[in-house]
Amino acid sequence: MGFSADLASILTDEPPSSVIDLEKRLPSDQWVSTIILAIDEAQRFTEGYDTPHANILQMLYDAENMHFPMTLVITGLSDTHSVIRSMGLTHGLSPYSLGCFSVEELYELTEKWCDHFHINIGSCRSQIDDLMATTDGWPRHVHWAQQALAEAFLV
């Protein structure tokens, strides 16, 4: 926990209306470490500079009038960059795209993952490759495919 106050009650009893309201509820002398506010699926935000969520994200992003250590991380798929740019959140920064695994990387990952867990691929290679192909190489989807594969081996 990054501060001595009870964050759950502060954010759920009556959610803060702004960053300034949050700071009033959590004074800087109560913070003992940096808080990283990570937002995923940002491509689903309504585009626009003057939307309510854009206003609070702009304040966090610009660190306006903030006296507590908070960092904003925004992630998402597809047109996330254009959505956050429409909200005024990029200011010349270049986005970093993780992308997906290439076919070769996915093949190597499968080999090393199976080696790590002492799974003998043997004649199942084609079936495992078919399972991994359904992920299109997206890391999160690969994770779920690996979980399904592990569960199949445990049965």
Side-chain angles (χ1 to χ4, degrees):
M1 184 104 12
F3 42 86
S4 60
D6 180 8
L7 179 64
S9 65
I10 289 170
L11 296 180
T12 57
D13 290 348
E14 185 179 337
S17 60
S18 68
V19 175
I20 295 168
D21 185 26
L22 176 62
E23 185 176 15
K24 285 178 184 174
R25 295 180 195 197
L26 293 173
S28 60
D29 62 346
Q30 292 184 17
W31 292 72
V32 294
S33 66
T34 301
I35 298 297
I36 297 173
L37 176 61
I39 298 172
D40 193 14
E41 298 291 326
Q43 76 276 4
R44 299 179 68 188
F45 280 137
T46 303
E47 291 191 31
Y49 193 81
D50 290 325
T51 62
H53 56 273
N55 290 329
I56 197 162
L57 291 175
Q58 289 163 10
M59 290 177 72
L60 290 170
Y61 183 78
D62 295 337
E64 290 180 1
N65 303 316
M66 290 191 338
H67 304 291
F68 56 91
M70 182 177 283
T71 298
L72 178 62
V73 175
I74 301 175
T75 66
L77 302 173
S78 65
D79 61 344
T80 297
H81 188 244
S82 67
V83 171
I84 63 173
R85 186 176 40 240
S86 79
M87 293 188 294
L89 300 177
T90 55
H91 301 295
L93 298 178
S94 298
Y96 182 78
S97 177
L98 295 179
C100 57
F101 294 112
S102 68
V103 173
E104 296 80 20
E105 290 169 329
L106 197 53
Y107 188 90
E108 181 181 354
L109 176 65
T110 300
E111 285 283 327
K112 291 184 177 184
W113 185 82
C114 288
D115 285 347
H116 179 79
F117 291 104
H118 307 288
I119 297 171
N120 182 6
I121 296 175
S123 63
C124 296
R125 182 72 214 207
S126 175
Q127 292 169 305
I128 293 172
D129 288 342
D130 288 346
L131 174 65
M132 292 300 157
T134 64
T135 69
D136 291 325
W138 288 105
R140 190 66 179 153
H141 299 170
V142 170
H143 166 80
W144 293 116
Q146 288 173 328
Q147 183 175 342
L149 181 60
E151 288 173 3
F153 277 111
L154 291 173
V155 173

